[in-house]
Amino acid sequence: MIHNLGSKTYIASLLGADSRNASANGTGFDLQGSNDAEGEAIVILDSEAGSGTSPTLNVKLQDSADNSSWADITGKTFTEVTNAAAGFEKISINTNDVRRYVRAVGTLGGTSPVFVYGVSLVYSKKYGN
C-alpha cells in the first residue's frame, strides 16, 4: 500500500536553523511514543557557507536508548561544509534499525567559525496511526 505523503509525512527539527559560532548538540527526538516513526526517514542538512578563517562544519547523527547516553550512528555523517559553498544534503536512516532517540551533532572548526544551519528529520508514522 502506498502512503499518502500529505497525511502520513511529518517533519521534526533535530537542530533548529540558527547562526552558530560553537559546536552544538541537538535535542533527542523520540522515534517511538506519540511520534510512532517507522521505516525509512530522511535527515536534511541545510547550511550557508561559513565565515571566519578556514571554517568547517561537520554534522553527524547519534542515537540513544535512554535520551542520555549517545553513540554515533555508523555511516550517518554529512559531507563537511566549509566557507567555499553552502550545503544542502540528505541522508537516510531506517528508524527500525536505530535506538529510540536520535539527535544531530554539529561540530565547528577553524578560527572564529560561524555557520547558519539546521537539521530536519522527515519521517512517516506506522501504518494505521
Side-chain angles (χ1 to χ4, degrees):
M1 171 159 201
I2 297 175
H3 288 294
N4 180 327
L5 290 176
S7 65
K8 290 292 184 183
T9 303
Y10 300 85
I11 300 174
S13 176
L14 297 183
L15 261 174
D18 202 357
S19 176
R20 295 182 175 86
N21 61 4
S23 296
N25 293 332
T27 302
F29 179 78
D30 187 357
L31 295 170
Q32 297 176 11
S34 63
N35 296 316
D36 211 14
E38 180 177 57
E40 292 291 318
I42 297 171
V43 183
I44 300 168
L45 167 64
D46 188 3
S47 70
E48 295 182 7
S51 62
T53 304
S54 301
T56 59
L57 167 63
N58 291 284
V59 177
K60 63 185 176 181
L61 299 178
Q62 295 184 326
D63 68 355
S64 171
D66 59 7
N67 203 21
S68 179
S69 298
W70 296 92
D72 295 349
I73 302 173
T74 303
K76 301 306 177 185
T77 302
F78 289 95
T79 303
E80 183 176 79
V81 181
T82 65
N83 64 340
F88 189 80
E89 186 178 358
K90 69 178 176 80
I91 57 178
S92 64
I93 61 170
N94 187 322
T95 62
N96 300 317
D97 294 339
V98 296
R99 294 182 292 172
R100 181 173 182 159
Y101 299 90
V102 295
R103 74 175 181 182
V105 174
T107 303
L108 300 184
T111 304
S112 302
V114 177
F115 282 90
V116 176
Y117 71 99
V119 181
S120 300
L121 172 71
V122 180
Y123 68 99
S124 294
K125 288 194 175 191
K126 290 183 181 178
Y127 181 73
N129 292 337

